[in-house]
Amino acid sequence: MFKLLNRLLGRSAPTRPAPPAAADRVSDDQLLRSHFSVSKEAELALERFGTLVTAQLGAKESRRLTNLLVAQLQRGDTPEDAVNNSLLGDDGQQPGKWVMLTVDWKATEEVEWQANELLATAGVAETWHLQDEENKIVAQALLEFSAWVEPRGLQLLHLDLLHDAYYALLVRAELADEARQAAKQAGLKLQSCDEFRAENG
C-alpha cells in the first residue's frame, strides 16, 4: 500500500544503506586491541612489576609467572584482570610458591594461613599467628601482619583488583618502592602499609 502511494506521489521508497564490505568490517579482536589494550609502556611496566613481586620465587618461576601476567593483556584485559587471571588463575601461583594472598572482605579466618604461605615462599622459618582473630576484621588482620613482617626485611603491599576482596603481595623491603612505581605505571593501584592504614585503619 505504501509503495503504491509513493509511486503515485512520485516519491521513491527509502533505501537501506548497504552493509559494509567485508574489508571494512572490524573484528572483535581489532576492537579490543584498538580501544581496550594498554600501551606498550604500561605493558613493560607490568612486566617489571611482575618481575619484582615474584623475585623470591627464583628466576625460572618468576619468569613463568611474569610471562603469564603480560600475556593476559593481549586479549584486551585490564591490568587488574591480567593479575587476577595470571597469578590467581589455574596456571598461576603454585602450592609452596605463593606471592599473593586473596581474602574475601569478611573472611578474617583466611588471613593467617595464607600469610604463612607467603612467609614460607619468602624463606621465613617463623610462623605468624593472628592475635584475637574473632574480634578483628580483615583489614586489621592484614595491618597486624604488615607490622610483623617489616622488622624481618619484608613489606606487605596491598593491591586493589576492583573486587570485594583484599589482595596483598609480600615483597622484599628493598624492592617495595620500585614495585609500587611499576604498578602505578602499569595502571594498578598498589598501596604501602601506611597508605592502606590511612584508608582502612
Side-chain angles (χ1 to χ4, degrees):
M1 178 75 177
F2 290 112
K3 289 182 182 177
L4 178 60
L5 283 173
N6 279 330
R7 265 189 276 147
L8 289 173
L9 297 172
R11 295 181 191 160
S12 58
T15 58
R16 291 183 181 173
D24 296 331
R25 292 189 191 123
V26 179
S27 71
D28 290 343
D29 283 345
Q30 288 170 316
L31 281 172
L32 285 172
R33 277 195 291 273
S34 62
H35 295 290
F36 298 102
S37 294
V38 299
S39 67
K40 187 63 179 175
E41 291 77 14
E43 183 179 324
L44 290 172
L46 188 65
E47 181 177 10
R48 183 67 182 146
F49 164 79
T51 300
L52 291 164
V53 300
T54 61
Q56 66 271 38
L57 297 175
K60 183 178 178 181
E61 181 65 2
S62 174
R63 176 49 49 196
R64 185 188 74 81
L65 281 181
T66 301
N67 287 343
L68 190 62
L69 172 61
V70 175
Q72 297 300 317
L73 294 176
Q74 296 177 4
R75 295 198 294 271
D77 289 339
T78 65
E80 291 85 4
D81 289 336
V83 173
N84 194 56
N85 294 337
S86 60
L87 296 184
L88 299 177
D90 291 341
D91 296 324
Q93 62 184 8
Q94 303 298 310
K97 297 179 180 178
W98 275 34
V99 294
M100 182 165 71
L101 61 75
T102 173
V103 180
D104 182 86
W105 68 275
K106 57 188 181 209
T108 307
E109 71 280 2
E110 292 285 309
V111 176
E112 184 179 298
W113 75 264
Q114 290 193 47
N116 283 308
E117 286 284 341
L118 297 182
L119 289 173
T121 300
V124 177
E126 300 169 87
T127 300
W128 173 70
H129 297 287
L130 176 60
Q131 304 300 310
D132 197 22
E133 177 185 301
E134 61 276 8
N135 293 317
K136 284 192 171 76
I137 60 173
V138 173
Q140 292 170 325
L142 292 173
L143 287 168
E144 184 178 314
F145 181 53
S146 292
W148 190 87
V149 299
E150 284 181 8
R152 292 160 176 84
L154 298 164
Q155 281 194 30
L156 191 66
L157 301 179
H158 304 269
L159 186 60
D160 185 356
L161 294 183
L162 311 178
H163 297 285
D164 289 335
Y166 291 95
Y167 301 87
L169 298 141
L170 190 64
V171 301
R172 296 199 302 264
E174 66 271 18
L175 301 179
D177 287 343
E178 193 176 352
R180 287 171 54 227
Q181 183 63 30
K184 182 178 179 180
Q185 291 169 348
L188 292 167
K189 181 181 178 182
L190 186 67
Q191 295 180 308
S192 68
C193 177
D194 289 341
E195 291 169 327
F196 182 78
R197 182 181 290 108
E199 284 191 8
N200 300 277

